[in-house]
Amino acid sequence: MAESWAIPGVDLHLEPSRAGGLRRGLTGALRDAVRSGRLAPGTRLPSSRSLAADLGIARNTVAEAYADLVAEGWLTARQGSGTRVADRAVVPQSGAGAAPRRRTTAPSAVSLVPGTPDLAAFPRTEWLKAARRALATAPHHAFGYGDPRGRPELREALAGYLARARGVRAHPDAVLVTAGFSHALRLLGKVLRARGVRTVAVESYGLDEHRRLLREAGLATPALPYDELGTDTGPLGRAGAVLLTPAHQFPMGTALHPDRRTAVVDWARRTGGLVLEDDYDGEFRYDRQPVGALQGLDPDRVVHLGTASKSLAPGLRLGWMVLPPALAEEAVAAKGHIDTVGVLDQLTLAEFLTSGAYDRHVRSARLRYRRRRDALAAAVADRAPDVHVTGIAAGLHAVLRLPPGAERPVVQAAVWQGLALHGLAFYRHERAVTEPLDALVVGYATPPDSAWARALEALCRVLP
Amino acid sequence: MAESWAIPGVDLHLEPSRAGGLRRGLTGALRDAVRSGRLAPGTRLPSSRSLAADLGIARNTVAEAYADLVAEGWLTARQGSGTRVADRAVVPQSGAGAAPRRRTTAPSAVSLVPGTPDLAAFPRTEWLKAARRALATAPHHAFGYGDPRGRPELREALAGYLARARGVRAHPDAVLVTAGFSHALRLLGKVLRARGVRTVAVESYGLDEHRRLLREAGLATPALPYDELGTDTGPLGRAGAVLLTPAHQFPMGTALHPDRRTAVVDWARRTGGLVLEDDYDGEFRYDRQPVGALQGLDPDRVVHLGTASKSLAPGLRLGWMVLPPALAEEAVAAKGHIDTVGVLDQLTLAEFLTSGAYDRHVRSARLRYRRRRDALAAAVADRAPDVHVTGIAAGLHAVLRLPPGAERPVVQAAVWQGLALHGLAFYRHERAVTEPLDALVVGYATPPDSAWARALEALCRVLP
């Protein structure tokens, strides 16, 4: 067999390394060809059958190499149009400004940016089964202009699930289905501003996009202090509301201290303020029982916000709010009929929840992510003993504490390695009230299984 | 067999008329029991097997009666929870204010309010097939935070379909997927206002909700004159934009006269104004080839807006815009990543379009709606010769011209008949520039097949 492989029809010589086996060699050579631009975006690759015949190797080997590269985002496969080089097989720039996880259509070759679960693990077969049941049983009128709160089937399923899994006290009537967390936050910003609220305090660490959404609604977003007990809500004063991630601070990864949990609810009762509880990854806890939702302490003063973006996939655009009775009507009116969410996805998620498929999927994902977390901790301990892995009791990301001054050069080195990676500075409030720290925020759930080992290796290479 | 049927477990005596056959008799008796409240919302009905056994009739007869009542919205059927009385089996109030078609979750027993196609005809099986193909072939990264414009597969499919079926000149990059028409209009309102536009002229007849959306964006919405050639855009002057329904004026049902089509495009070119083309039911034309989209005359000055709400179902929350290049970037930025639409519905619609299933569905729906239109015209000619049926060359509704002063009492009489029906006044701009007319707007596509004959009969009973 020749050491240089020609791809018929695209006139390209591949020089794969044979050391790691045929599949890996072919995958690597194709990846390099795409990365370097030798295979241009849109180029159609030969069928696995014909390439295998030309190379004298098993068709399966080629098919697997293609599948790996599709999973990594270098290639795309569509029935009828074959396998092609992806249009945007480029590594996104990591930097200031809007969060790259939101800008990226095709994923980078290797990304450890948090916010997206392993998309290759989306439970396609189970989802289709649930969709079939939903389509078979939905009443005709479900296909019409619906209730702005969302389908009753889904609100009922969510109320039951959230009570069971997160300790949320919810009547289906208090549940509002949204197109994800940001949509919910935008609605709440509108409602709070209309009530005369001028300030929604936020945490010293969080997503710039969330602060921007609140500011666009005309709300000030001052930062609360952060320390080893979590966010200190002591200075809240007369703020109208506070946005918190109590179960798993994003991105620091700590659970809000029980005293602080009680304190913020006391503040809300005393002042009439509201707590917006961002429960973005409450399903994923590894060390013990999940930290229950803050909403359970006072359903009249806490708005509970959840999403299917971490547990299933962001592409579904499905999230939910559990609203205090006093706020429900205004929030539903703010949503209205324009912001409704496709009814089939709603019915499918309802089936997914009630059939137990959601629990099964979360259990299996938790197991896989936990293994990755353990591998990350072990690799860092082994190869970068000066780096301290924190925030790993839960969630889909870890915080790697670095020696002072190391964050910026490490993130820069990652860019050169083709590794999308965020430093902690990316998540820091512009007026954060906390000691500056050098750290990396590593989303270990982000890569597909096929790219995880490579991502971890690339990370270890850039650590000090 | 007893003349009074007891439903086991719910202790209710039905006294059905036996004249029209068993099925009809049972259906009518059950309907009356629900309508009158004797069967309360949520009540679980006996299984068709056990009721049939109790009554000594064929199980199929009971199953068919149940199915009819489910289709009409009186009952709901859910796998696992049996057949129950619908929670909101009530006739919605027809009146001023927000459009009832938007408020209604469960349909009224009989509704002829336009805006919703026959939901019982949603192509569930074909949609599921398309969903299966979409799930089997989607690249993993499709499940992530996507391109705010929408999935490339759908934009490409829409560009091809709109070119072929509507004469739209569209590159996939100019297509923006939205959660329906209203969502698109809200985005455009935001973009236009940010450009300094202060006025978007509208038609003398249209939906109050559309005017409200534009006003919420800070835009004035003066009315243009309407006459027998359609909307007269002569007075546009320095308005920044105009919202039109050129192919099939809503609700009057006329096509914009060719001279007027040219005139409005000339106006846009001369002044730099924009035409917002609401092509809500362009697929449905009965008399000749569809009137092509205005956008074909000048893709740089016309924004083409379409929706799957009439051709498939409003519950999908799928619509689209084809944007002039100069507007595309701003519109995409206004949409951003929050307003994205669930990716599975997008991929499924793309499959539905490219596989030909969409065309097949539209053809079959067109045939059925045409038959209803013909039946409506014949029934009115026969039973109410003073009423003139207009606007029926296309679309899913007709305008029934009434003698002066008759509109209000007829709509009132319809309410008493349990028939949801809108008079023309419902759609009239508060400062309409046109001669007042007494008319009904009859959405003949709205009822399921099983209720159509009854709806038509109820309509004829209230006509003068």
Side-chain angles (χ1 to χ4, degrees), chain A residues 71 77-79 88 101-102 104-107 115-116 119-120 122 124 127-128 132 135 137-141 143-145 147 149 153 182-183 186 213 309-310 313-317 337-345 351, chain B residues 71 77-79 88 101-102 104-107 115-116 119-120 122 124 127-128 132 135 137-141 143-145 147 149 153 182-183 186 213 309-310 313-317 337-345 351:
Chain A
R78 293 260 308 153
Q79 216 163 33
R88 303 217 221 160
R101 71 178 183 120
R102 297 281 177 158
T104 314
T105 300
T116 304
L119 301 173
F122 182 79
R124 300 188 186 208
W127 190 261
L128 182 67
R132 180 185 299 118
L135 272 164
T137 56
H140 292 315
H141 69 250
F143 295 97
Y145 291 98
D147 189 323
R149 291 174 298 176
E153 295 90 338
S182 296
H183 180 212
R186 190 176 61 183
L213 275 169
S309 294
K310 310 296 178 275
L316 293 177
R317 308 311 309 131
H337 284 277
I338 296 170
D339 281 337
T340 45
V341 179
V343 75
L344 290 178
D345 282 339
E351 286 285 342
Chain B
R78 294 258 311 153
Q79 215 164 32
R88 304 220 221 157
R101 70 178 182 119
R102 297 281 178 157
T104 314
T105 299
T116 302
L119 301 174
F122 181 79
R124 300 187 186 209
W127 189 262
L128 182 67
R132 181 184 299 117
L135 272 164
T137 57
H140 292 316
H141 69 251
F143 295 96
Y145 292 98
D147 188 323
R149 291 173 300 177
E153 295 89 339
S182 296
H183 179 212
R186 190 176 60 181
L213 275 170
S309 294
K310 311 295 178 275
L316 293 177
R317 309 312 307 132
H337 284 277
I338 297 170
D339 279 336
T340 46
V341 178
V343 74
L344 290 177
D345 283 339
E351 285 285 342

Side-chain angles (χ1 to χ4, degrees), chain A residues 30-78:
Chain A
L30 281 165
R31 190 190 298 115
D32 288 344
V34 175
R35 197 197 314 243
S36 67
R38 279 183 293 149
L39 275 174
T43 305
R44 183 174 181 152
L45 294 174
S47 72
S48 56
R49 186 190 303 272
S50 65
L51 182 56
D54 284 356
L55 300 175
I57 61 177
R59 185 188 171 187
N60 223 27
T61 306
V62 179
E64 284 169 347
Y66 279 12
D68 286 352
L69 294 166
V70 167
E72 291 174 29
W74 296 107
L75 305 180
T76 60
R78 293 260 308 153

Side-chain angles (χ1 to χ4, degrees), chain B residues 350-440:
Chain B
E351 285 285 342
F352 210 75
L353 283 161
T354 50
S355 69
Y358 189 88
D359 285 38
R360 284 193 299 278
H361 174 69
V362 165
R363 266 199 306 276
S364 129
R366 200 187 286 136
L367 197 66
R368 290 191 313 115
Y369 294 147
R370 184 186 184 131
R371 280 201 209 104
R372 290 195 188 179
R373 178 198 73 151
D374 294 347
L376 169 68
V380 172
D382 184 38
R383 300 191 38 190
D386 292 343
V387 175
H388 187 49
V389 182
T390 65
I392 56 173
L396 311 178
H397 69 276
V399 174
L400 274 57
R401 300 274 294 267
L402 303 174
E407 178 178 323
R408 215 184 151 89
V410 166
V411 170
Q412 202 50 248
V415 171
W416 286 103
Q417 288 270 342
L419 175 67
L421 186 65
H422 280 176
L424 186 57
F426 185 85
Y427 301 98
R428 204 177 152 86
H429 193 290
E430 60 275 21
R431 294 183 306 281
V433 188
T434 186
E435 203 185 332
L437 281 177
D438 280 71
L440 301 173

Side-chain angles (χ1 to χ4, degrees), chain A residues 329-403:
Chain A
E329 202 176 315
E330 289 153 71
V332 172
K335 187 175 181 233
H337 284 277
I338 296 170
D339 281 337
T340 45
V341 179
V343 75
L344 290 178
D345 282 339
Q346 290 190 59
L347 293 170
T348 303
L349 180 57
E351 286 285 342
F352 209 75
L353 283 160
T354 51
S355 70
Y358 189 88
D359 285 38
R360 283 194 299 277
H361 174 70
V362 166
R363 265 201 304 277
S364 128
R366 199 188 286 137
L367 197 66
R368 290 191 313 115
Y369 294 147
R370 185 187 182 130
R371 279 201 210 105
R372 289 195 188 180
R373 179 198 73 149
D374 294 345
L376 170 68
V380 171
D382 183 37
R383 299 195 33 194
D386 292 343
V387 175
H388 186 49
V389 182
T390 66
I392 56 172
L396 311 178
H397 69 275
V399 173
L400 274 55
R401 301 276 292 269
L402 303 174

